[in-house]
Amino acid sequence: MLISTRGRYALRFLVDIAENQGTEGYITTNEIAQRQEVSPKYAERLMGMLSKSEFVITKHGYGGGYRLKSSPENYRVSDILKAMNEELAPVACLTCNPNKCNRSKFCKTLPMWTNLGNMIQNFFDGITLADLMK
C-alpha cells in the first residue's frame, strides 16, 4: 500500500476547507492552492474529483467556490482515499473480491495479509476529518 499524492492532497484539501469555510462561506480553488502550496491547476483538477465524489458542494459565480457537503465528523479517511482510487490492500491478491489467485485456498501467508488489510481498513475507518483538524 502506497498512498499517492492525489490521496494525500485530497485529505489536506478537505481539512483546509473544513477549517476555513466558516458558516456560510465557500473556499476558492486559488485559496486552497495558495495555502497548500500547489498549483491552482492541480487544485482545480483535484477539487473536481472531490466534487464528483460528492464530498464538496460547488457554487459557481461571485462568492463561489467549495464547501463540505456534510460536517467533518461524517468524512472517514477510508472513504476519501477510496474515492481517490487509493488501494488500501497491502498485497495485490487482496485487491479482488473474491480473491482470484489460484493459490488462495492453500496460501500459508494469505491469512496474515488479510489480517493486515483488515487492520489498515479499520485504522482508516476510525479517523475522520474532524480528527485530522485537532
Side-chain angles (χ1 to χ4, degrees), residues 17-29:
I17 293 168
E19 291 178 336
N20 292 290
Q21 71 184 5
T23 57
E24 298 293 326
Y26 285 80
I27 307 298
T28 67
T29 305

Side-chain angles (χ1 to χ4, degrees), residues 6-110:
R6 180 179 54 232
R8 294 190 323 265
Y9 276 91
L11 291 170
R12 287 173 49 182
F13 285 19
L14 289 173
V15 170
D16 186 288
I17 293 168
E19 291 178 336
N20 292 290
Q21 71 184 5
T23 57
E24 298 293 326
Y26 285 80
I27 307 298
T28 67
T29 305
N30 285 336
E31 292 172 305
I32 296 167
Q34 186 176 25
R35 281 191 294 267
Q36 297 303 317
E37 299 177 348
V38 299
S39 75
K41 189 171 189 128
Y42 181 75
E44 188 66 43
R45 190 171 73 218
L46 192 58
M47 290 308 302
M49 292 177 73
L50 291 169
S51 178
K52 186 177 179 181
S53 298
E54 298 188 3
F55 289 113
V56 295
I57 298 169
T58 305
K59 179 181 176 187
H60 299 284
Y62 181 77
Y66 299 93
R67 66 178 293 107
L68 296 183
K69 188 173 182 177
S70 185
S71 65
E73 295 81 15
N74 295 328
Y75 290 79
R76 296 185 313 175
V77 169
S78 59
D79 296 331
I80 297 163
L81 292 175
K82 285 179 186 173
M84 296 297 107
N85 298 316
E86 297 294 342
E87 185 54 66
L88 300 181
V91 292
C93 63
L94 293 179
T95 60
C96 299
N97 191 6
N99 190 324
K100 295 180 182 179
C101 177
N102 59 358
R103 298 182 46 84
S104 65
K105 289 188 181 1
F106 55 88
C107 178
K108 299 291 186 182
T109 63
L110 184 59

